[in-house]
Amino acid sequence: MKSMERELQCPVCKEMVKQPIILPCQHSVCLLCASEVLVQSGYPAPDLPPEPNSPASTPNTRSPRQGRRPPPKVDRIDRVLRAGFGTFPGRRRKEGPPPNMLFPCPSCQKEVELGERGLADCLRNLTLERIVERYRHTVSLGTVAVMCQFCKPPQSLEATKGCADCRSNFCNECFKLYHPWGTPRAQHEHVQPTLSFRPKVLTCPEHEQERLHFYCKSCQRLLCPLCKLRRIHAGHKVTPVAQACQALKEKITKGINYILANQETVQAQITQLENAITQTEVNSATAQEQLAQSVRELGAVLAERQGVLTQALEAARLRRGEALSAQVTEKRSLLEHAGLLAFSQELLKETDPPCFVQAARLTHNRLVKAIENLQCFSLSADPSFRHFQLDISRELKLLNSLDFIRAPLAPVIDTQRTLAYDQLFLCWRLPQDSAPAWHFSVEFRRREGSGSGGHWGWQRLEEVSGTSTVIERLEMDCVYVLRVRGCNKAGFGEYSEEVYLHTPPAAVLNFYLDSRWGLHSDRLVVSKEQRCARSVPGLSLLQAADRALTSCHLTSDLLVGDVAITQGKHYWACSVEPGSYLVKVGVGLESRLQEWFHLPQDMASPRYDPDSGHDSGAEDALDSPPPFAFLTMGMGKVLLPHGTNSTQPTPMAFTAPLPPRLGVCLDFEKGRVTFYDAHSLRSLWEGPVDCSGPVCPAFCFIGGGALQLQELVANRAAEQPPARRVTIQSRVTHLSN
């Protein structure tokens, strides 16, 4: 119980609280101390009741044996709190309301707003008063005996009972005399003798005699039935005070149990801190020896500089030692017999729900902070002094600018080269004025709320050489957070700014352009690696342009991938040259693509053009999904057909800027194809496609243009694979064959 004493002290007078009130910031101060603080701040002095620190503070001091006296007068504390001192009752109606009172809370060092009624809106912390009384009886701090207030002074007896209704202390005889059997006074509640009587229940400070039955979670305050009907609480989450009391008690109980169950962890952290302090002293001495040796080698020219650097080193040692010592003190407060835990356990003994809710919110917040501090433990200072070593390899002309070596500055992540495809490729660079780095540490984690699961910790790639790395085995359709920091002889530097990368929505499909399927080499050129294609306008296009005034005549060339899909969900990406005339990217049924491809390439009707999700038979089968699904790009724009885009259905087609990379995701089972901005993974357009047979990636060129398939991160240095033709079959199909 003695370890709880600082929890019961008033932050103003540094003594046990007397008649404490709860400020809007949830801290408690003595009523008298609060009034003195307001007076010092320039507000008018409130009318306070006499402090009940002795039996003489009550008017009933004569013995009942000398004559019957009326029952003792009630304490004026409730009347004072309801009176609204600090207001101006004589102000005119046209005058504006008085300014709100600002109370400088000594605990949180903030100016809290009391309102125009001042301390009248602050409720008594009855729970804290009960805890103080129990504390005084436990540690025997009440050395002054509480005397009966109705015995004659020469024959005064020590009080044995206190009456909560009469608010007076009685010996046995006086209690029987003032509470005769068979009268209403006999039903009064008797308590332990005390010098400060509290109200039996909390009542609303604005509506007299109205008890606080509700708790507003939005405003975080207790309400009476009349306050609940106010417009200000419309739409707020208001619960019965008993329910709020039970929920808060359960949270505090869980917090206490968690801290008590982790006492070994707290002790281990204290041991780690003490070891860190010892290592700090040892490393500090080693660094000072190295510093002195370096300075001696440079001679007398460095003598003055040596003193400056020694002072800097000593100051760093003192700062780190103080920080670690303060952290040790903080961790010691979390041990089993700490005052906060003892105070919380005493707080749980409160049986009055409104009083408990009013007093327990601050304690719950402190327990939550203590738990967070316990879970997110880290040293407040680095015990290493490796960066307090001098670089003496410079010429003597630089002696005046000698300084301790520095850790690398925060790297800058190159967002243009960083991407997430089959794997995640991360690229960065150091600032121009940064110290060199020996190696780098790359950290990444899934963002909370991304995919399934909750909190995800940081994963690390240690000692990464160079300024780029590849991160493998990432989950699909998730957002990852990445950061980098450099390391050299001085230790690790600051982290770079965190970047967010969205992995593809499905497994990446690796394929090549099929150069054997009716390729018109006079108009289409496929690269040696079969990852890039370019359309060169030939004679047929020039002839079509010559006939443009008399007919609609275009030349279309088709390229397909060498992979046919019959199951699963797959994703791939490509980039289209912004200067291309018209390029179509999408998917189509392999059989229908062959039929269309073997038709004459110089088509006189646009019905034969596999335009975005429509083919020559689309008008005949409106209910069936189209065999093709394409997006048309050209001249730096992309045409988004009517349908569903990333935000809402669009009644008509519109154009958008051409993204640097276009992503395509085919869900074979659902018969849906989705086009993405591959850089941000933002959905551009989604539509149906016929998946009754094998489906191939397809590309159509009209006029000049070029496209490049996205290279796999894992195969950046791979050799050119042989020409192939692959069909992805399900396992059942494979076994049946």
Side-chain angles (χ1 to χ4, degrees):
M1 294 293 291
K2 290 187 177 181
S3 62
M4 191 175 58
E5 183 174 349
R6 64 178 181 178
E7 301 287 340
L8 308 179
Q9 291 179 350
C10 173
V12 178
C13 62
K14 304 301 180 183
E15 297 180 357
M16 291 291 177
V17 290
K18 299 177 181 178
Q19 298 177 329
I21 59 174
I22 299 180
L23 300 174
C25 60
Q26 304 306 311
H27 293 106
S28 298
V29 295
C30 301
L31 176 62
L32 183 60
C33 296
S35 64
E36 292 176 354
V37 171
L38 287 178
V39 171
Q40 294 175 1
S41 300
Y43 295 103
D47 184 17
L48 296 179
E51 185 178 1
N53 55 4
S54 67
S57 62
T58 60
N60 304 312
T61 57
R62 293 188 299 176
S63 172
R65 302 181 183 89
Q66 305 297 325
R68 294 294 296 262
R69 291 183 56 85
K73 296 181 180 179
V74 297
D75 198 345
R76 291 191 299 161
I77 177 63
D78 292 334
R79 197 152 34 104
V80 171
L81 289 178
R82 296 194 192 96
F85 51 81
T87 60
F88 304 90
R91 69 173 184 267
R92 297 178 180 178
R93 180 173 299 178
K94 294 184 179 181
E95 295 180 1
N100 294 334
M101 291 187 177
L102 296 178
F103 185 88
C105 178
S107 298
C108 58
Q109 304 297 325
K110 295 181 181 179
E111 296 265 346
V112 295
E113 185 175 328
L114 298 181
E116 65 176 74
R117 301 177 69 238
L119 298 178
D121 287 330
C122 299
L123 296 174
R124 288 262 309 260
N125 195 341
L126 302 182
T127 300
L128 182 59
E129 291 188 43
R130 296 187 182 102
I131 295 177
V132 170
E133 286 189 5
R134 290 199 296 266
Y135 176 81
R136 289 183 179 275
H137 286 292
T138 302
V139 299
S140 301
L141 292 181
T143 55
V144 179
V146 180
M147 307 303 294
C148 177
Q149 298 175 237
F150 298 92
C151 294
K152 193 174 182 179
Q155 302 176 358
S156 295
L157 300 177
E158 185 175 348
T160 58
K161 294 180 181 178
C163 181
D165 296 272
C166 300
R167 300 195 178 186
S168 298
N169 299 309
F170 300 88
C171 61
N172 287 332
E173 288 189 29
C174 295
F175 187 82
K176 294 178 181 179
L177 182 61
Y178 272 93
H179 301 80
W181 184 260
T183 63
R185 292 183 184 176
Q187 305 298 324
H188 286 185
E189 179 185 359
H190 57 86
V191 295
Q192 294 288 337
T194 179
L195 299 178
S196 176
F197 287 96
R198 304 174 303 275
K200 298 181 66 175
V201 293
L202 279 176
T203 57
C204 181
E206 299 182 14
H207 306 95
E208 293 188 9
Q209 305 303 325
E210 289 291 338
R211 300 186 63 176
L212 302 169
H213 293 292
F214 302 97
Y215 176 69
C216 179
K217 292 185 178 180
S218 303
C219 302
Q220 294 188 353
R221 59 176 298 177
L222 295 167
L223 305 176
C224 69
L226 298 180
C227 292
K228 180 186 176 184
L229 300 177
R230 287 187 170 182
R231 186 184 304 173
I232 192 175
H233 298 290
H236 289 188
K237 191 171 183 179
V238 179
T239 60
V241 71
Q243 181 178 347
C245 172
Q246 183 64 27
L248 197 54
K249 277 191 175 183
E250 291 177 358
K251 292 180 180 179
I252 292 181
T253 303
K254 290 181 180 179
I256 293 176
N257 294 336
Y258 183 87
I259 293 180
L260 292 177
N262 288 272
Q263 293 301 297
E264 295 182 358
T265 303
V266 177
Q267 188 61 49
Q269 293 175 355
I270 293 176
T271 303
Q272 184 179 354
L273 289 169
E274 293 174 346
N275 294 337
I277 294 176
T278 303
Q279 294 175 7
T280 300
E281 298 294 334
V282 173
N283 295 334
S284 173
T286 303
Q288 289 182 4
E289 292 178 2
Q290 295 177 352
L291 174 62
Q293 180 63 26
S294 300
V295 172
R296 284 194 298 268
E297 292 177 359
L298 293 176
V301 181
L302 304 177
E304 181 179 359
R305 192 64 179 171
Q306 177 186 6
V308 175
L309 296 177
T310 303
Q311 292 178 2
L313 180 61
E314 184 66 14
R317 184 187 68 82
L318 291 176
R319 287 196 304 270
R320 298 183 184 191
E322 291 175 357
L324 293 172
S325 299
Q327 200 172 8
V328 170
T329 303
E330 180 182 357
K331 291 298 178 181
R332 288 189 185 279
S333 66
L334 298 179
L335 292 179
E336 183 174 359
H337 298 292
L340 177 60
L341 299 183
F343 177 77
S344 302
Q345 291 171 341
E346 287 294 322
L347 190 64
L348 293 175
K349 298 179 181 179
E350 173 61 43
T351 58
D352 191 344
C355 298
F356 178 81
V357 173
Q358 188 68 23
R361 285 180 291 163
L362 178 62
T363 303
H364 173 248
N365 294 336
R366 294 178 61 186
L367 285 173
V368 170
K369 291 181 179 178
I371 293 173
E372 292 177 354
N373 191 10
L374 175 62
Q375 293 175 337
C376 305
F377 171 74
S378 62
L379 295 178
S380 59
D382 186 5
S384 172
F385 278 74
R386 291 177 295 178
H387 63 288
F388 283 84
Q389 301 179 22
L390 290 177
D391 183 3
I392 61 174
S393 62
R394 299 181 182 181
E395 301 177 1
L396 292 178
K397 63 180 181 180
L398 300 177
L399 289 178
N400 290 330
S401 60
L402 279 178
D403 200 353
F404 295 107
I405 60 176
R406 298 178 302 165
L409 297 180
V412 179
I413 296 181
D414 189 348
T415 56
Q416 298 299 322
R417 299 174 57 191
T418 298
L419 58 92
Y421 198 46
D422 58 316
Q423 297 174 356
L424 195 149
F425 179 73
L426 182 65
C427 184
W428 64 89
R429 59 178 175 83
L430 283 174
Q432 186 176 2
D433 55 346
S434 172
W438 291 355
H439 54 80
F440 295 89
S441 174
V442 179
E443 299 184 3
F444 61 97
R445 66 174 175 86
R446 276 179 53 180
R447 189 177 66 176
E448 294 184 10
S450 174
S452 59
H455 178 75
W456 294 85
W458 289 99
Q459 303 180 55
R460 294 180 179 83
L461 297 179
E462 302 289 354
E463 298 187 3
V464 177
S465 58
T467 58
S468 63
T469 187
V470 175
I471 303 176
E472 304 175 352
R473 296 184 294 275
L474 298 181
E475 298 186 26
M476 295 294 102
D477 199 15
C478 295
V479 177
Y480 281 86
V481 188
L482 302 100
R483 62 186 185 183
V484 186
R485 61 174 177 172
C487 179
N488 59 14
K489 193 175 182 179
F492 284 99
E494 296 293 331
Y495 284 105
S496 66
E497 293 187 3
E498 296 180 352
V499 296
Y500 295 81
L501 286 182
H502 198 152
T503 55
V508 173
L509 178 68
N510 184 29
F511 64 92
Y512 299 88
L513 299 175
D514 193 344
S515 61
R516 301 171 299 164
W517 191 12
L519 177 66
H520 291 265
S521 57
D522 59 332
R523 295 194 298 264
L524 284 180
V525 178
V526 179
S527 65
K528 182 179 179 180
E529 297 80 12
Q530 298 178 252
R531 307 284 298 184
C532 179
R534 179 175 293 275
S535 175
V536 181
L539 179 62
S540 59
L541 181 60
L542 296 178
Q543 292 175 348
D546 186 57
R547 295 192 297 267
L549 295 178
T550 58
S551 66
C552 179
H553 195 91
L554 295 176
T555 300
S556 299
D557 295 300
L558 183 68
L559 270 179
V560 296
D562 63 349
V563 172
I565 303 171
T566 61
Q567 65 166 354
K569 188 176 181 181
H570 303 275
Y571 173 86
W572 62 91
C574 65
S575 58
V576 177
E577 190 176 275
S580 302
Y581 182 66
L582 287 179
V583 178
K584 294 177 178 290
V585 177
V587 296
L589 276 176
E590 183 180 18
S591 58
R592 297 301 297 273
L593 286 174
Q594 290 178 346
E595 294 176 6
W596 177 83
F597 185 80
H598 287 93
L599 288 175
Q601 294 300 301
D602 297 336
M603 296 175 295
S605 173
R607 285 191 60 188
Y608 294 97
D609 184 18
D611 197 4
S612 307
H614 299 280
D615 69 320
S616 59
E619 297 87 346
D620 303 327
L622 296 177
D623 295 334
S624 61
F628 308 116
F630 288 95
L631 276 191
T632 303
M633 287 155 283
M635 297 167 287
K637 298 289 185 179
V638 55
L639 175 65
L640 301 180
H642 63 86
T644 305
N645 63 0
S646 59
T647 56
Q648 57 185 359
T650 55
M652 57 186 302
F654 66 97
T655 60
L658 178 66
R661 291 183 293 128
L662 180 71
V664 184
C665 182
L666 173 64
D667 192 334
F668 189 87
E669 279 71 18
K670 294 183 179 180
R672 305 289 294 182
V673 61
T674 308
F675 295 88
Y676 295 90
D677 179 349
H679 183 72
S680 62
L681 260 292
R682 178 176 60 90
S683 176
L684 298 177
W685 184 82
E686 181 181 356
V689 66
D690 187 0
C691 293
S692 58
V695 179
C696 295
F699 311 91
C700 183
F701 293 87
I702 302 177
L707 68 85
Q708 171 75 48
L709 295 181
Q710 179 68 47
E711 185 70 26
L712 294 182
V713 176
N715 295 340
R716 285 176 175 264
E719 298 180 356
Q720 176 186 0
R724 57 176 185 159
R725 183 66 186 172
V726 180
T727 299
I728 300 178
Q729 299 286 354
S730 63
R731 184 177 182 184
V732 177
T733 306
H734 179 70
L735 293 176
S736 62
N737 294 335

